[in-house]
Amino acid sequence: MKIVVIGGTGLIGTKLVSNLRQLGHEAVAASPSKGINAVTGEGLAEALSGAQVVVDVANSPSFEDKAVLEFFESSTQNLLAAEAAAGVKHHVALSVVGTDRLLQSGYFRAKMAQEELIKASKIPYTIVRATQFFEFINSIAYVATEGETVRLSSANVQPIVSDDVAAALADFTLEAPVNGTVELAGPDRLPLDELVRQFLRVQQDPRLVVTDDNARYFGAELNDQSLVPGDNPRITSTRFEDWLNLSASQA
């Protein structure tokens, strides 16, 4: 099949394109650097010509409320219109577990808007919500840092490695559309503050993680259900401890 991956040169996109090509599919890595821009519409018609499936794993370069909403609304509207014109049979989008529970955050409001546009279109779809990536932990710590202190909630998280996200996305891409949402999560559930504490310790980062259950997560209040999957998620195999140990050995 011809499969176009929007955001195909990013963390997940690069891995997904590689996985699909290894399975014998024509996977197109679409990104502005390749002359294909979903936000402006540039190059979309040409890229989608003959494509059966489009996978959208692109992320906004800005998390500012107005900019991120404009990014996801514009890119999704342009994509869906181009897909309808090209006769695409399946739209797959990567989203985030808990999006509907984190709407105090401008980022998650934008992701919710993206999901609603997909559901309202006539193109068969699969929305894949994943938990936080191991590779994103450093960014979580950065946003929560004040001086040498990292202030974080003890709400539960169930993080996942990007390799496992890309592998699962390849499966969903090649399966029939579910016309609904599926969830992905890693095997380990632990408090957010402890997750970051362990990560910083292995990185030999001197910052102190302070537990503050009023601390916000990208602007949203958290509880133990905010960042973990609901019933019947797909649980992947890579454990956080194993990834941490591998990261330490490669440092």
Side-chain angles (χ1 to χ4, degrees):
M1 285 195 296
K2 179 180 177 181
I3 301 163
V4 177
V5 180
I6 305 297
T9 59
L11 174 66
I12 300 296
T14 301
K15 298 173 191 291
L16 176 59
V17 167
S18 176
N19 290 347
L20 293 170
R21 287 176 179 168
Q22 288 175 26
L23 293 169
H25 298 282
E26 179 190 351
V28 178
S31 71
S33 65
K34 304 279 189 181
I36 304 163
N37 191 323
V39 175
T40 65
E42 176 194 1
L44 277 184
E46 295 83 355
L48 269 56
S49 178
Q52 288 98 326
V53 185
V54 171
V55 189
D56 184 5
V57 297
N59 204 1
S60 173
S62 170
F63 279 26
E64 188 274 323
D65 287 4
K66 186 170 183 286
V68 71
L69 182 61
E70 288 178 353
F71 175 90
F72 283 117
E73 285 188 335
S74 297
S75 61
T76 304
Q77 288 166 346
N78 288 337
L79 259 183
L80 293 169
E83 288 171 28
V88 169
K89 304 300 184 190
H90 188 187
H91 179 97
V92 182
L94 180 61
S95 192
V96 187
V97 163
T99 288
D100 51 335
R101 300 187 288 273
L102 298 165
L103 297 180
Q104 290 171 316
S105 162
Y107 180 83
F108 291 104
R109 288 196 297 273
K111 290 299 289 182
M112 197 74 217
Q114 178 191 26
E115 291 188 11
E116 288 170 351
L117 285 167
I118 293 164
K119 292 175 183 177
S121 83
K122 294 181 180 178
I123 296 168
Y125 70 92
T126 303
I127 294 170
V128 182
R129 285 184 173 180
T131 52
Q132 288 64 36
F133 305 158
F134 295 164
E135 293 89 346
F136 195 47
I137 296 171
N138 195 46
S139 297
I140 293 171
Y142 175 79
V143 170
T145 296
E146 302 167 0
E148 290 299 305
T149 299
V150 185
R151 198 169 294 279
L152 289 165
S153 166
S154 63
N156 281 334
V157 291
Q158 198 165 330
I160 188 169
V161 73
S162 62
D163 286 342
D164 289 351
V165 174
L169 270 174
D171 291 343
F172 289 122
T173 296
L174 301 176
E175 293 169 2
V178 302
N179 291 315
T181 302
V182 294
E183 292 190 318
L184 291 178
D188 301 311
R189 184 173 290 197
L190 68 166
L192 177 62
D193 57 338
E194 185 56 27
L195 175 82
V196 174
R197 193 174 284 118
Q198 290 183 29
F199 174 79
L200 295 182
R201 186 182 304 131
V202 166
Q203 297 293 317
Q204 297 183 331
D205 189 312
R207 282 177 291 176
L208 175 69
V209 177
V210 173
T211 305
D212 178 357
D213 287 334
N214 294 315
R216 296 196 170 216
Y217 181 82
F218 296 94
E221 295 175 357
L222 297 181
N223 59 43
D224 276 342
Q225 285 71 51
S226 300
L227 298 173
V228 296
D231 296 334
N232 303 313
R234 176 164 169 169
I235 302 298
T236 56
S237 59
T238 306
R239 302 188 67 87
F240 178 58
E241 182 181 5
D242 293 338
W243 177 81
L244 263 188
N245 292 337
L246 181 63
S247 299
S249 69
Q250 293 176 341

